[in-house]
Amino acid sequence: MSKYVIGVDGGGTHTKSILVRDDGQVLGTIASGAANFQQLGVEGVKKVCQDILTEMGKKFYLSATQIACWGVGLAGAGREHDRRIVVETIEALGFAGRVIVQSDAYVALIGAFLGKPGIVLICGTGSMSIGMNQKGEIARTGGWGYLLGDEGSGYDIGRRALVAALKDFDQRGSRTRLRSKLERYFGIATIDQIIPKIYSKEIGKDQIAALAPIVFETASEGDLVAANIIDTVIVDMASLILSVAKKLGFHEETPLVVACSGSVFNQKDVLFPKLSAQVATVYPNVSISQPRFEPVVGAAIMALEKIGIQPTEDVLDNLSRFNK
Amino acid sequence: MSKYVIGVDGGGTHTKSILVRDDGQVLGTIASGAANFQQLGVEGVKKVCQDILTEMGKKFYLSATQIACWGVGLAGAGREHDRRIVVETIEALGFAGRVIVQSDAYVALIGAFLGKPGIVLICGTGSMSIGMNQKGEIARTGGWGYLLGDEGSGYDIGRRALVAALKDFDQRGSRTRLRSKLERYFGIATIDQIIPKIYSKEIGKDQIAALAPIVFETASEGDLVAANIIDTVIVDMASLILSVAKKLGFHEETPLVVACSGSVFNQKDVLFPKLSAQVATVYPNVSISQPRFEPVVGAAIMALEKIGIQPTEDVLDNLSRFNK
């Protein structure tokens, strides 16, 4: 009888889960809401997992007892102590198999490099960088959230655009087309009307992060303020990568493999060459690409390995069919 | 029979009210909580005003009908439409006299210059700048709140200190003594332990703003990262002043009078000379000082003028006795 695992990528705004057979075939996916452990706590995470299980049952006629392993990558679960709590929470759902919980960054790393050395830079609504060296040591940088960090994230880019537009309005900053574009985007007469919407949370973090493509578009039209935001962000992104490389003791002359994931890298045609050039000032042999697999697949691979199934090329081949 | 007015300075975190006789004698003060119109709405502001009235009654045996005028400066009440709502709210408290509502920034301006031209820079938990020219025209800059602005505020300085400490921890930034100082201040082993406290709001905006003195202290000990934060903040402060000066059409060669108020200027011995030098690059005849009166006194003066009492030197003399 086939075994099944669930891979979960629980992020700050969305959670993606996949049901995978032991040969790597992906039976299906489930989308659900936020699964940040720091924000939702035990009860919130429990509910998310319960819902995934219910949905899996409905869609694929599988009960909890038929799942051999849950592999979970969870935002805000960077600490061993927190992960232990989540493991117990999932086990308490009447689940007979194994449970393995790691941070969402860790499963991104597994998805990208399958346990081989490399660095992943994730820039979605938030941002962070994580890497693994030859010895299997792991280091991470960033991930401090929207108030204290998340440099290079969609939120960071969107917030910088709003600040630039407001500074233009205030006659404190340079003129920028971002101002009129954002006014049009939000359907407001003047950009200062954004203020009550921001502080009443009518416009939340996600909506601010969703402004990033406007910044790229405006920069491509020759707007210097927008271009400057992107240049600043690239320096910050490079800094996230370089910090992890330094922590892992990567030698400056050896090849450095970096995978970039997250919604901001929808703009990879602009970002990859510039980011590559920036990192190359320290690591001339850097190569930047997309990760081989999404984080949710990394979570499933982690679960498969936990029950003794090696990710052979056949298994990976099956998984990669899902990816496309 | 003497007439009485109430002056109110309603801020984002604290509200200060004074009861003033028509000769400028201050009978007493009342401290209450936040009075930001955007955050509290009509009902919240109503409650604050009701409490002030109750307290005034208890302390000074004055009923609402004996107050000839309320002069209110209110955070988040920059728009005429919002101010009109607050006026109606206060009138609905069974109050026979007049009501005049302005932004907290406006009453700061009146307190500082008594209607004469000049610019006030306010850096408390938030920041903004407001000025008046010879024609009585008013312009303001900043005040966009902690997510999009408040450059030079206590929050801005405190947040920069936390970010610098985290970047040190991350090996992304320079070493700084801010890191160990903040760890000691918060009683945590490593600075990353601040993260759950920030996002659970255990440490809020006010507590972040309260870190500003640590940054000044650390800079004075020769820490370059802390010194750099202060230098950055001074450029931002100068930019707030220069923007208002530009909007008001102040000529670069004429004297520019600036008053700085708010908790950040407890550090005026460090800030005034540096800020002065920065503004002087555009306005060589700038003079920077503390405001003559606090905003709450500005609110009372506004109320006195509304009922026809001019702020003569005798009246101001009485008011200034309160100030000290």
Side-chain angles (χ1 to χ4, degrees), chain B residues 276-297:
Chain B
S276 187
Q278 186 69 29
V279 176
T281 59
V282 183
Y283 288 89
N285 297 317
V286 64
S287 77
I288 294 187
S289 63
Q290 289 180 285
R292 176 153 182 196
F293 294 107
E294 290 183 41
V296 69
V297 178

